[in-house]
Amino acid sequence: MGMSAGAHREPKASILGQLLAVQNVLHVLPSPEKMGQFISQALNSSLPECSSSLCIRGQAGPVGDVAGRQCAACPAAKERAPESPPYDCRLAVDDGVRAYPLATVDGFYGHLLVAAEKPEALEPYEPFLINLANAIALSLENKWQRRQLELQTEKALRESEYRYRSLFEAMLNGVAHCKMVFDEHGKPVDWVYLDVNEAFERITGLKKGMVLGKRVTEATPKLREDAPELFEIYGKVASTGEKASFDVYLDSLQMWLSVRAHSPKRGHLVAVFDDITERKRAEKEREQLIATLESQNSELERFAYTVSHDLKSPLITINGYAGMLREDLAEGHSEQIQNDLDRISTAATRMEDLLNDVLELSRVGRLINPPEQVRLEDLVNESLELVAGQIKRRGVTVAVSPDLPTLYGDSPRLLEVVQNLIENAVKYMGSQPRPRIEIGVRSENDVDVCYVRDNGIGIEPQYHDQVFGLFNKLDKTSEGSGIGLAIVKRIIDVHGGRIWVESEGPGKGSTFCFTLPPKGEAGAAATAVLASFAATGSRD
Amino acid sequence: MCQTHREVAMGFTQEKFPAGTHMCLIYSDDTERRSIISRFLEAGLSSREKVDYFADTASPDEVRSWLVEPGVDPGRDGRGDQFSVSVAADTYCPRGKFLPEEMLDKLGRYGRQCAGEGYPSARVSGEMSWAVRGIPGSERLMEYEALVSDVLATHAVTAVCQYDANRFSGAVLLDVLKVHPMMIVHGQIVRNPYYMRPGLFLKDFRQRE
């Protein structure tokens, strides 16, 4: 018996080793409950004559139940911060059970209860059990502190996330956070949407659920065709961290976007964008308007110069003959007086004609009759009646094709076009012995090209554009102000059509061709151009 | 069968251990677990060993991504065959049931096959959490663990069995200690004082039943 008791007093190295291992495992056990199970099992396994349990503060009862024992000390141990430090903390609960307080300098967590059939069997391990209780307490303290830190961090993170999310979602700009995907050569080939905001959905029409976690080539496969440069730009931003700012047109969305891209971390990309389609459209309209105004301005300059020049010559004539009239009156040359007056009258008529033409030109852009369907054949017949005298005088043969199309536009203006072209053809017949005019239509690229062809004097190729300019009379001896073709061109322009002349050169005749857009397109074109003319008009 | 095994690097500790060492890693912090295991696998790949991973909570792609980050890409440099990741439940319980004898046999064949393919040794790591899902036979896991140490040592297959302390009970975790000769604690490999010879453990284990 004495031998046996003595043998118990010497702690076994293997048992100490096992208890040490328990201490080592403590730090990975996630909860007091797991610790309780583990320590109970370990003590039972190491010290077969003992059973154990843990009473942890705040828990309803012992974690590992030891032979139905309850820890009598625990109810008093539920408050933190013990009065005394945990030295010499062995506490006998009753004869068979020893309780080791689980306490640190800062806190008290409960007890480790160890029951032994023979209490003296515990004696050799007493110091180690105290150490074990301290180790458990430290581990619990550690977990408690870590949990507090986690709670604080979680709270701070939640607040930060809330602030970020509010800003992210409230932004009017679309935002997409993406991760770039590169191929084995480092070439950017794709990106994955990690997050997008509400404005992204509104602008692109792509729902969050459709894009999150997906590759762009999967979510919007057409983007690669629309804007292949996006991949290069985004790849560069994500790999170098350099910011980028650009405008891009996406055909699949039919939208202009203004994009600013930056990289929050390597390989990632945040694109902030806005729909600027309206702005771009306004810019384009403005550019068109400026181009139109510039063209009109140069036309006006030429107009002012020519008008002043052309109006001057009848004025000089009038002035000259007025002086001569004065002299003839003084000297009594009555036969010359009539001649002087005739010259003055002719010059005044010429001046009136010029002024009427100028007035007519200014009206073309401003006045519009409601567009309507009008048969070209009717316009031709009416024009031929109006210029019948000239045709007859010149002995011109007129051939009209039977399949003339129906046009859509301002009927009186279109009549003016046809009449002017026919008059022009008659006027520039030159010495042609068999003057002939053909009026017809041909088809080019499914577009009707109407034409008035003559076998008159023809026009050298370098003058083909000039004939439509104001007062650009190639034949200075011909009648008229040289304003007729300018009026024709402007009427065709106003309708959104095109006019040009074809001639192989002098003596080879000329063909004046024009096209008009079909109904629908014509309306829009005419409205736009007319609006620009109206603007010009209001500035005059 | 008596073999002298060379010592192999574990990656997460400087000390080398004989190929065929059977270790357990009881963890509750996934970051620490990932750090240890990725370095363990990486060291095997660097030593041209055959490396296999049996994944349960992590997906196979996730496991491969652990290795891509430290600079080892198992998809390149012909390492595709050297490294493979399979689903743990499929490996341990191929017909929906865990049979320790079958698995021990399979592991022996695996060791011989690796040697036949010219690998100096092999290493495996398995996530053991499949055993908490009530798969038939999983209650015999500790029998297998007790017997596998000899198979591993014989065929030079180094193994780390991963036990998530959040999933296994405290009592099972103590049994885990009893069947693994070595344990990984604080990133170090230590001799396990709880380890019991398989015969002794199995006797005790069966008595409990």
Side-chain angles (χ1 to χ4, degrees), chain B residues 37 40-41 52-55 123-127 158-162:
Chain B
I37 295 300
F40 173 71
L41 301 176
D52 272 78
Y53 190 91
F54 312 134
R123 69 178 62 195
V124 296
S125 184
E127 297 174 6
T158 311
V160 174
C161 306
Q162 303 171 41

Side-chain angles (χ1 to χ4, degrees), chain A residues 126-192:
Chain A
E126 194 88 331
F128 200 86
L129 289 171
I130 292 170
N131 273 347
L132 182 63
N134 287 340
I136 295 167
L138 282 172
S139 188
L140 288 168
E141 172 97 356
N142 204 0
K143 283 185 203 319
W144 185 83
Q145 283 178 351
R146 195 184 296 175
R147 184 67 197 135
Q148 295 306 308
L149 196 66
E150 274 171 14
L151 288 173
Q152 279 174 12
T153 313
E154 272 170 26
K155 191 179 169 205
L157 211 60
R158 270 203 307 277
E159 281 172 3
S160 161
E161 167 72 13
Y162 176 75
R163 279 200 301 273
Y164 157 77
R165 185 54 58 184
S166 311
L167 190 67
F168 185 69
E169 292 299 353
M171 275 179 81
L172 293 175
N173 300 90
V175 184
H177 180 191
C178 313
K179 186 179 182 187
M180 284 307 291
V181 178
F182 297 88
D183 67 8
E184 64 270 28
H185 306 297
K187 190 177 173 223
V189 290
D190 220 332
W191 65 80
V192 178

Side-chain angles (χ1 to χ4, degrees), chain A residues 86 88-91 99-103 108-112 130 133-134 137:
Chain A
D88 190 21
C89 51
R90 187 177 54 148
L91 172 70
Y100 300 89
L102 308 174
F108 179 68
Y109 296 92
H111 287 89
L112 167 65
I130 292 170
N134 287 340

Side-chain angles (χ1 to χ4, degrees), chain A residues 179 265-266 268, chain B residues 31 34-35 37-39 41-42 45 60-76 79 83:
Chain A
K179 186 179 182 187
K265 73 174 189 179
R266 199 175 168 79
H268 284 235
Chain B
T31 311
R34 182 180 149 170
S35 159
I37 295 300
S38 62
R39 283 184 285 166
L41 301 176
E42 193 189 357
L45 291 172
D61 279 347
E62 214 176 323
V63 176
R64 285 191 194 94
S65 79
W66 295 350
L67 299 187
V68 174
E69 284 181 28
V72 175
D73 184 349
R76 293 187 195 169
R79 282 176 159 141
F83 179 64

Side-chain angles (χ1 to χ4, degrees), chain A residues 445-467:
Chain A
N445 301 323
D446 291 335
V447 174
D448 285 336
V449 176
C450 308
Y451 61 83
V452 176
R453 180 175 295 145
D454 65 63
N455 56 354
I457 60 172
I459 304 166
E460 287 200 46
Q462 67 263 35
Y463 298 125
H464 284 186
D465 288 338
Q466 287 187 23
V467 297

Side-chain angles (χ1 to χ4, degrees), chain A residues 471-490:
Chain A
F471 307 106
N472 275 332
K473 281 167 68 181
L474 299 179
D475 177 6
K476 300 291 180 194
T477 62
S478 65
E479 298 168 12
S481 60
I483 217 165
L485 286 176
I487 291 175
V488 167
K489 184 173 188 317
R490 185 168 283 196

